[in-house]
Amino acid sequence: MTSECVLDLRRGIDSGEIVPYFQPLVELRTGQLSGFEVLARWHHPLRGVVLPDEFIPVAEAGGLIGELMQSVLVKAFTAAVSLPEYLRLSVNVSAIQLRDLSLRQEIGLAAERAGFQMSRLTVEITESALVGNLEHARMVTQELKELGSRIAIDDFGTGYSSLRHLHALPFDEIKVDQTFVHTMLSRRESRKIVAAIVGLGQSLGLVTVAEGVEDKDQAEMLLWLGCDLGQGWLYGRPVSGDELQEYVTAHKRELRKESAKAPVGGDSGFHMDALPSQRLAQLQAIYDGAPVGLCFLDRNLRYVSLNRRLAEMNNAPIVAHLGRTVAEVIPQFYAQLEPYLKRALSGEPVIGLKSRAVMEDGAVQMRSTSYQPTLDEAGEVVGISVAVVDITERESKDEALRESEEHYRYTVELSPHVTWTADAKGMVMESGPLWTLLTGLTQEESMDWGWSQALHPEDIPRTAAAWQRSIDSGKPLDLEYRIRCKDGGWRWMRARASARLGEDGAVVRWYGTLEDIHDYKAAMEELEASKARLQAVFDAVPVGLVIAEAPSGRVAMGNPRAEAILGHPIIPTDDIAGHAMWPLFHADGRRLGSQEYPLVRAIQRGEVVDGEELIYECGDGVRRWVSLTAAPIRSGEGHITGGVVALRDIQAVKAPQVDAVGEILGKGSTDRGKRSLKPKG
Ligand code: C2E
Ligand code: CA
Ligand code: CA
């Protein structure tokens, strides 16, 4: 290095040729500008722009570095002072400066002259500058921190990458060197190193910055690895102080445009199989592919990460969530969720919280949300992991169900029956007003199993068993039981219910009725009693009686006397009341034609046959005289509904003629002539 070089630089510094350029630092998650790194440029009158790699060593060697920095910093601070306050400046200090105890003063002075707040400043120190100088560096950085500045370790990974250095100095940021970033997509080793440095930074609580980000794929991967800030040509080349304000404005405009056109879920060109860890990739795929909205919120309820499904549900791209709070992203839901979010932050999980809101597009959305507090290794809540299910469709089905119940209620209010509904488990949800009228039990008292208070104690076990069978099987219920009425009396009721099934075949609801069958039951009992009385008479009369139905002629019943006369039991039979079963003959021995049978004549033609004397062959060729009286049975309207025949054994009266008859009959054998019919008893 020649003294001319030093002299030239001296002249350059004096004539203000060394100027700051500004390279943007951007938040990877949101794309938002976070600040600029100040990079020195020498606008040489003859050589054009000279880069720092060339003149910084000259300045260091020539003892000009302090002055150089002073002039660059004042210009940089002056240019940046009017920028929004959240934008920070990073400046580089060289190893030599770190040995100089006046660094603090120099920086402080420059900031003061420009009116720039030290809290907006980050001082970058390369690791190699620390070697052999740790104690001193510790003092200098400590002083800078006291002024409010932050300290970054620059080019991490290229020097000693010593954990001791990281540990010894109060670093706030760690900058991953660009050589790793440039090759991280093509080289697994680079990827591993970047992941390790980012992981190291995260676990030490440092802000991680990646340098040399030149394309989107690198940015995506860095984001996925959890890196906080990016710097590189992707976001912009260093700009001069004059262009600074313009850059900030243009960036804001660009960001707004980007987030507006970004597809919901983000447009990631980043391939999972290129990830350093297969397992993480799979988890990521599950996270993204889950049909449930998932996200992680930090303690300030800001979205740290989320999956595509949630972005879709919230109608906003993933990037529009990151770093923003729940209140900002879904204000329409926030009031309903807030108390539960607070609970989750205090460590209490929340399961299946239902919420409902009108979305921007006017559609109603219903959600079921669960919060799981996430604890760190010390048991402190560090955030909330959230699962959200869109239940709009399910709820509207329930609504439809409610509506149909409304409909059902309408129709049944007109019905004389008590109506009721029960849930899938058989818990009564509602019973119509008639129930209260009848039993005096209120709706509330009758809910679930409350209605059974009205049951007759004797009917409880039977009823409970039948109801349980229906609940288990989904099969309809139909049974009778007694209930206690308001007046204290018991009344018989018939309970019926059928299940309404869901799409999956499971019971959704039971719809039931309760019919007052008390009077009907009493009438039926009365009828049974009178029937029994008639039966007793029927059975006891010394005349054979056979009743048949019209028009079929099928025998309905016969009394014991009739069976005795006919010599065989009378069983309800398809056979028409005549011909085949009753071999009857006229006095002249001629067999009766089927239409001549008294019962047939009564049923088919409504004739009344009065005591016709005929010969009956009761089996084994034995024949006896019988007298048959037949009459039709008519309904109230006069239609023939049946016929009755009365049989009397008149053998004793006709006995004297037996021989003659025997002679006559002897010639005409019948088809049933040889059939053996045993008299009953
Ligand atoms: P550095 O601190 O690591 O600065 C980053 C360097 O990477 C800059 O080079 C920058 O222009 C370059 N760079 C930024 N983005 C990209 C990218 O996407 N791709 C590529 N290939 N390069 C990118 P520059 O400006 O030539 O600075 C070189 C070094 O000189 C800096 O490295 C820094 O250590 C030092 N330096 C710059 N200005 C100053 C200063 O004012 N004082 C001191 N002491 N050192 C300075
Ligand atoms: Ca730097
Ligand atoms: Ca660097």
Side-chain angles (χ1 to χ4, degrees):
M1 186 173 313
T2 60
S3 56
E4 287 131 66
C5 289
V6 179
L7 281 177
D8 195 18
L9 183 58
R10 158 100 269 163
R11 187 201 48 77
I13 295 169
D14 289 346
S15 49
E17 287 169 16
I18 317 295
V19 294
Y21 267 58
F22 302 84
Q23 185 171 34
L25 281 131
V26 166
E27 225 175 82
L28 285 166
R29 287 184 313 208
T30 61
Q32 269 184 12
L33 198 58
S34 117
F36 296 90
E37 176 172 359
V38 177
L39 297 165
R41 295 286 180 269
W42 184 1
H43 283 193
H44 198 277
L46 303 174
R47 298 172 57 203
V49 177
V50 182
L51 290 175
D53 283 339
E54 195 177 323
F55 63 83
I56 293 292
V58 178
E60 283 180 333
L64 297 173
I65 190 73
E67 277 172 74
L68 183 144
M69 181 160 90
Q70 192 58 220
S71 92
V72 169
L73 283 189
V74 172
K75 289 187 185 110
F77 289 157
T78 309
V81 75
S82 57
L83 296 181
E85 231 173 76
Y86 67 89
L87 294 177
R88 309 181 56 82
L89 279 193
S90 298
V91 297
N92 297 282
V93 296
S94 60
I96 286 184
Q97 287 176 288
L98 214 52
R99 291 172 213 271
D100 186 349
L101 279 178
S102 62
L103 183 67
R104 178 203 116 119
Q105 255 177 321
E106 281 167 17
I107 295 177
L109 196 68
E112 208 178 306
R113 278 170 64 186
F116 189 83
Q117 293 165 304
M118 283 294 285
S119 59
R120 292 172 65 188
L121 186 71
T122 303
V123 175
E124 298 190 359
I125 301 167
T126 54
E127 204 186 7
S128 47
L130 303 173
V131 178
N133 186 31
L134 201 56
E135 268 316 301
H136 206 141
R138 207 205 318 259
M139 275 164 61
V140 173
T141 51
Q142 197 54 52
E143 285 176 345
L144 287 168
K145 285 215 75 149
E146 277 161 18
L147 287 179
S149 162
R150 290 158 60 119
I151 312 292
I153 183 158
D154 202 358
D155 302 343
F156 195 81
T158 56
Y160 298 85
S161 308
S162 159
L163 298 179
R164 192 164 141 256
H165 291 158
L166 277 183
H167 183 72
L169 296 187
F171 288 115
D172 302 287
E173 285 180 18
I174 184 167
K175 295 189 83 170
V176 185
D177 191 72
Q178 49 182 282
T179 50
F180 305 117
V181 176
H182 288 161
T183 52
M184 71 185 293
L185 289 173
S186 54
R187 293 190 56 199
R188 185 172 169 275
E189 292 74 16
S190 298
R191 207 155 57 224
K192 292 271 183 201
I193 289 169
V194 174
I197 297 175
V198 169
L200 185 64
Q202 279 175 341
S203 53
L204 291 173
L206 306 180
V207 172
T208 48
V209 186
E211 298 186 309
V213 183
E214 292 182 355
D215 62 47
K216 251 187 137 165
D217 288 351
Q218 291 166 344
E220 290 271 0
M221 187 181 281
L222 287 161
L223 171 63
W224 192 81
L225 288 173
C227 189
D228 300 306
L229 301 179
Q231 174 184 3
W233 296 344
L234 175 65
Y235 309 107
R237 306 255 178 172
V239 295
S240 71
D242 296 339
E243 301 162 304
L244 193 57
Q245 183 62 56
E246 198 186 311
Y247 176 87
V248 173
T249 316
H251 183 273
K252 260 195 199 147
R253 205 167 41 229
E254 192 60 31
L255 196 65
R256 266 202 302 275
K257 249 179 20 208
E258 276 290 312
S259 70
K261 74 170 189 239
V264 166
D267 176 22
S268 165
F270 175 48
H271 299 292
M272 291 300 175
D273 51 13
L275 285 177
S277 160
Q278 203 60 38
R279 208 174 94 78
L280 271 178
Q282 284 161 359
L283 283 175
Q284 180 73 25
I286 291 167
Y287 189 67
D288 267 341
V292 173
L294 300 171
C295 71
F296 184 80
L297 302 174
D298 68 11
R299 280 209 61 92
N300 298 313
L301 304 181
R302 283 187 303 232
Y303 290 89
V304 175
S305 73
L306 70 153
N307 71 351
R308 277 153 218 272
R309 180 72 193 106
L310 189 63
E312 280 164 15
M313 282 161 74
N314 290 349
N315 270 335
I318 285 180
V319 291
H321 289 75
L322 299 170
R324 293 176 70 207
T325 64
V326 177
E328 287 167 341
V329 176
I330 45 166
Q332 58 278 70
F333 279 103
Y334 187 65
Q336 299 164 67
L337 305 178
E338 193 189 7
Y340 299 92
L341 282 163
K342 295 225 163 104
R343 280 199 213 172
L345 282 178
S346 68
E348 188 187 320
V350 177
I351 312 283
L353 167 65
K354 275 191 190 175
S355 58
R356 181 182 197 279
V358 180
M359 303 305 283
E360 272 129 53
D361 57 6
V364 173
Q365 200 183 89
M366 281 177 265
R367 297 176 168 195
S368 171
T369 306
S370 297
Y371 297 134
Q372 190 63 45
T374 303
L375 310 177
D376 68 4
E377 61 280 359
E380 249 177 58
V381 179
V382 291
I384 307 170
S385 84
V386 182
V388 188
V389 183
D390 186 337
I391 53 167
T392 313
E393 210 176 308
R394 196 173 86 199
E395 285 289 302
S396 62
K397 265 186 204 155
D398 270 11
E399 204 139 298
L401 195 62
R402 274 196 289 277
E403 238 166 60
S404 82
E405 266 164 22
E406 201 65 41
H407 189 80
Y408 166 81
R409 198 168 301 129
Y410 243 81
T411 45
V412 295
E413 260 164 22
L414 302 168
S415 132
H417 300 162
V418 172
T419 55
W420 52 276
T421 56
D423 68 12
K425 294 196 181 94
M427 294 296 167
V428 168
M429 297 161 60
E430 199 176 357
S431 40
L434 268 180
W435 170 259
T436 303
L437 220 63
L438 204 64
T439 60
L441 290 176
T442 65
Q443 279 288 314
E444 288 70 38
E445 287 167 333
S446 310
M447 294 278 275
D448 297 347
W449 277 95
W451 60 276
S452 62
Q453 296 169 67
L455 265 183
H456 194 291
E458 281 173 20
D459 299 339
I460 289 176
R462 190 170 51 82
T463 304
W467 188 208
Q468 193 58 53
R469 265 198 307 280
S470 286
I471 294 165
D472 293 343
S473 64
K475 295 212 173 105
L477 174 81
D478 190 349
L479 89 161
E480 293 172 6
Y481 53 67
R482 284 158 289 178
I483 58 164
R484 196 207 325 270
C485 296
K486 227 168 18 183
D487 61 9
W490 297 101
R491 285 190 84 75
W492 275 102
M493 308 299 277
R494 179 179 182 186
R496 273 179 288 190
S498 357
R500 177 184 179 136
L501 305 181
E503 267 164 30
D504 56 356
V507 174
V508 183
R509 283 280 190 285
W510 286 95
Y511 295 95
T513 59
L514 204 59
E515 185 184 350
D516 185 335
I517 53 164
H518 198 79
D519 296 337
Y520 167 80
K521 220 172 151 72
M524 283 310 285
E525 270 164 22
E526 183 50 44
L527 196 68
E528 281 302 322
S530 65
K531 237 170 87 184
R533 283 195 292 274
L534 277 173
Q535 186 74 44
V537 174
F538 186 73
D539 289 347
V541 286
V543 177
L545 290 172
V546 174
I547 295 171
E549 292 164 3
S552 66
R554 192 185 318 160
V555 170
M557 61 197 290
N559 67 356
R561 183 73 191 136
E563 289 182 340
I565 294 169
L566 296 174
H568 59 82
I570 292 170
I571 32 176
T573 163
D574 276 345
D575 202 339
I576 180 128
H579 200 248
M581 271 183 63
W582 311 29
L584 284 172
F585 301 87
H586 292 287
D588 60 6
R590 198 166 40 84
R591 174 110 197 229
L592 262 68
S594 63
Q595 295 304 305
E596 289 177 304
Y597 275 71
L599 197 48
V600 174
R601 282 156 61 193
I603 289 170
Q604 292 188 351
R605 301 198 285 276
E607 282 177 37
V608 176
V609 181
D610 191 13
E612 202 163 294
E613 295 182 346
L614 295 162
I615 295 152
Y616 174 66
E617 188 185 278
C618 49
D620 295 335
V622 179
R623 296 170 179 107
R624 300 182 74 85
W625 280 97
V626 289
S627 159
L628 274 75
T629 298
I633 301 171
R634 292 183 188 272
S635 70
E637 290 95 46
H639 301 300
I640 297 169
T641 58
V644 59
V645 62
L647 301 141
R648 276 188 305 125
D649 187 332
I650 51 168
Q651 179 63 21
V653 185
K654 293 291 226 180
Q657 301 162 26
V658 161
D659 289 346
V661 171
E663 257 171 50
I664 296 160
L665 292 180
K667 297 176 210 158
S669 87
T670 71
D671 51 346
R672 294 269 189 112
K674 297 293 165 207
R675 215 179 95 187
S676 163
L677 293 170
K678 290 198 182 98
K680 198 193 169 207

